[in-house]
Amino acid sequence: MFERIFINADISTVYSVFWNIFEWDRIIPHVEGIIDIDSTENYQHVYMKIKSHKKSYTIETERTGKIDECISFKQLNSNSIITEHSGSWLFYKSGEGTIVESLHKLKVGDIGIISKLISKFVWKNYVRKNAVSTLETLKLESEFIVGNFSLVSDNSRYLKHEFNLKIPVEKCYKIISNPIIWTELYGNTAKMVNIRRESEQMVDFYLVELVGKWKLSSRIFMRKDGEKLSVYYQHISPRFPIKSMIIHWDFLKLDDDHSKFIIHREFQLRIPRFIYQILQKKIEKIIEEHVLDYQTELNDFIKLQED
């Protein structure tokens, strides 16, 4: 059970993000809480509360680390049907970035071949989703810290949009990165925002929005950096036809009264590649019109603030 990912950040930053488990409940969507039992510089013994398939579990885990090289873990009690779960993350320099390899050993039951078959089923249909989510989110977080960007998946589609706004950059950031006001800010497109939890650095919320003729609802997990004026967020388990959606925002100062808003959009759809290729222009047009709707409403909101 093996996964591999490239992270566009130095190995020390990447290792630190993977090791600092006590920050995970504010950066990983399925992690709801971490309780320290006993931890030292290279050893951690914690309870981790996670949510998977609409159910919550508290997992007791031990981890040991070798700085910039590897982190090994072993679940002592998963409070589930899983009998044993252990593994490691291995870190390798790759140019200016880092390769992370994730290894998992999973066992369900003790009945030979049946146990192996059930273990593979549980990995594929339950555990792998969170394992991959952890890898991808820690990649996003590592690159966010150092100010870099790269696609999470080679299978993703990428679109970039940018436009100028007549508003100081700090104010632009504060308005756009505040989901609480989105139904006021984007009244024609954002139909509902329900905040689950928030802090200065993250917002976890539900959003219902109109995209073309589609009314889409999803949970969004947003990370914010008010000093760098940067944001990224993930759509968590979005509705069909979206398989995944990750968006990065950058806010650049043009002068004292004007700013540039940049949107990097990475997405995958739950349709075969050949169908996407046929519909590509139509899909990209829908997204383009969606961005234009937001731009129009943003400009209208800014004008109202000036009056």
Side-chain angles (χ1 to χ4, degrees):
M1 300 167 184
F2 173 84
E3 303 291 337
R4 192 171 191 264
I5 199 166
F6 170 77
I7 301 177
N8 191 14
D10 62 277
I11 197 167
S12 294
T13 297
V14 174
Y15 178 87
S16 177
V17 170
F18 275 75
W19 179 249
N20 194 3
I21 197 171
F22 302 107
E23 297 291 320
W24 282 15
D25 57 344
R26 71 173 183 86
I27 61 176
I28 299 179
H30 64 269
V31 177
E32 298 187 326
I34 303 289
I35 299 173
D36 186 20
I37 300 173
D38 180 26
S39 297
T40 62
E41 183 180 359
N42 295 311
Y43 170 80
Q44 296 169 338
H45 183 188
V46 302
Y47 289 121
M48 180 164 58
K49 185 178 181 181
I50 66 168
K51 193 163 189 176
S52 179
H53 295 270
K54 300 182 179 180
K55 293 184 179 180
S56 294
Y57 302 88
T58 298
I59 297 171
E60 184 180 356
T61 300
E62 280 186 329
R63 305 202 317 162
T64 57
K66 190 173 182 181
I67 294 174
D68 295 350
E69 292 186 23
C70 68
I71 297 171
S72 300
F73 71 89
K74 181 179 181 180
Q75 291 184 3
L76 305 179
N77 186 354
S78 67
N79 287 308
S80 69
I81 64 170
I82 297 173
T83 309
E84 298 176 11
H85 187 188
S86 62
S88 61
W89 291 292
L90 306 177
F91 304 87
Y92 306 97
K93 288 184 179 179
S94 178
E96 298 297 319
T98 305
I99 296 290
V100 180
E101 293 181 348
S102 173
L103 306 172
H104 288 257
K105 297 179 181 178
L106 194 69
K107 185 178 180 182
V108 180
D110 296 299
I111 313 176
I113 186 89
I114 296 176
S115 176
K116 289 182 179 180
L117 292 173
I118 294 175
S119 298
K120 288 181 179 179
F121 176 84
V122 170
W123 165 257
K124 181 179 179 180
N125 293 280
Y126 295 95
V127 179
R128 183 177 183 271
K129 179 180 178 181
N130 281 352
V132 171
S133 175
T134 297
L135 265 184
E136 293 181 347
T137 301
L138 296 183
K139 168 187 167 70
L140 288 169
E141 184 67 16
S142 299
E143 295 180 349
F144 188 61
I145 289 171
V146 300
N148 289 339
F149 167 79
S150 64
L151 295 181
V152 167
S153 171
D154 292 336
N155 296 321
S156 294
R157 303 295 175 177
Y158 170 75
L159 293 174
K160 179 181 178 182
H161 298 92
E162 59 182 66
F163 48 86
N164 298 342
L165 294 166
K166 188 182 177 183
I167 186 172
V169 68
E170 290 83 4
K171 190 172 182 180
C172 182
Y173 167 84
K174 287 180 180 179
I175 290 173
I176 295 176
S177 67
N178 182 9
I180 293 173
I181 66 170
W182 281 8
T183 53
E184 177 185 0
L185 181 60
Y186 308 116
N188 294 325
T189 45
K191 295 303 179 182
M192 187 275 287
V193 173
N194 182 14
I195 306 294
R196 297 179 75 246
R197 54 187 176 130
E198 65 176 322
S199 68
E200 288 186 6
Q201 298 159 329
M202 60 80 70
V203 189
D204 184 357
F205 62 100
Y206 291 105
L207 171 69
V208 177
E209 62 180 336
L210 293 179
V211 181
K213 296 180 180 180
W214 293 337
K215 189 174 185 179
L216 302 179
S217 61
S218 60
R219 177 186 166 200
I220 291 179
F221 201 90
M222 175 187 286
R223 281 281 288 118
K224 307 195 297 183
D225 188 328
E227 292 186 4
K228 295 181 180 177
L229 303 181
S230 186
V231 170
Y232 78 81
Y233 63 87
Q234 303 179 68
H235 288 250
I236 310 302
S237 300
R239 288 184 59 183
F240 182 87
I242 301 170
K243 181 179 181 182
S244 68
M245 181 79 72
I246 301 169
I247 295 176
H248 299 254
W249 290 341
D250 291 314
F251 301 81
L252 303 182
K253 180 179 179 179
L254 298 179
D255 58 39
D256 289 344
D257 299 313
H258 297 83
S259 56
K260 182 183 291 290
F261 180 37
I262 303 172
I263 306 166
H264 304 274
R265 185 185 308 268
E266 175 183 354
F267 65 98
Q268 296 182 60
L269 300 178
R270 297 182 188 276
I271 57 176
R273 180 180 290 270
F274 77 93
I275 294 180
Y276 176 84
Q277 290 173 345
I278 294 172
L279 300 176
Q280 181 175 357
K281 289 185 178 180
K282 182 175 179 61
I283 292 169
E284 292 183 0
K285 184 179 179 182
I286 291 171
I287 294 173
E288 178 77 27
E289 290 175 349
H290 182 60
V291 171
L292 288 174
D293 287 341
Y294 274 122
Q295 181 180 358
T296 299
E297 292 188 277
L298 259 174
N299 281 318
D300 290 344
F301 183 86
I302 291 168
K303 288 178 181 177
L304 285 174
Q305 301 299 303
E306 292 175 343
D307 294 341

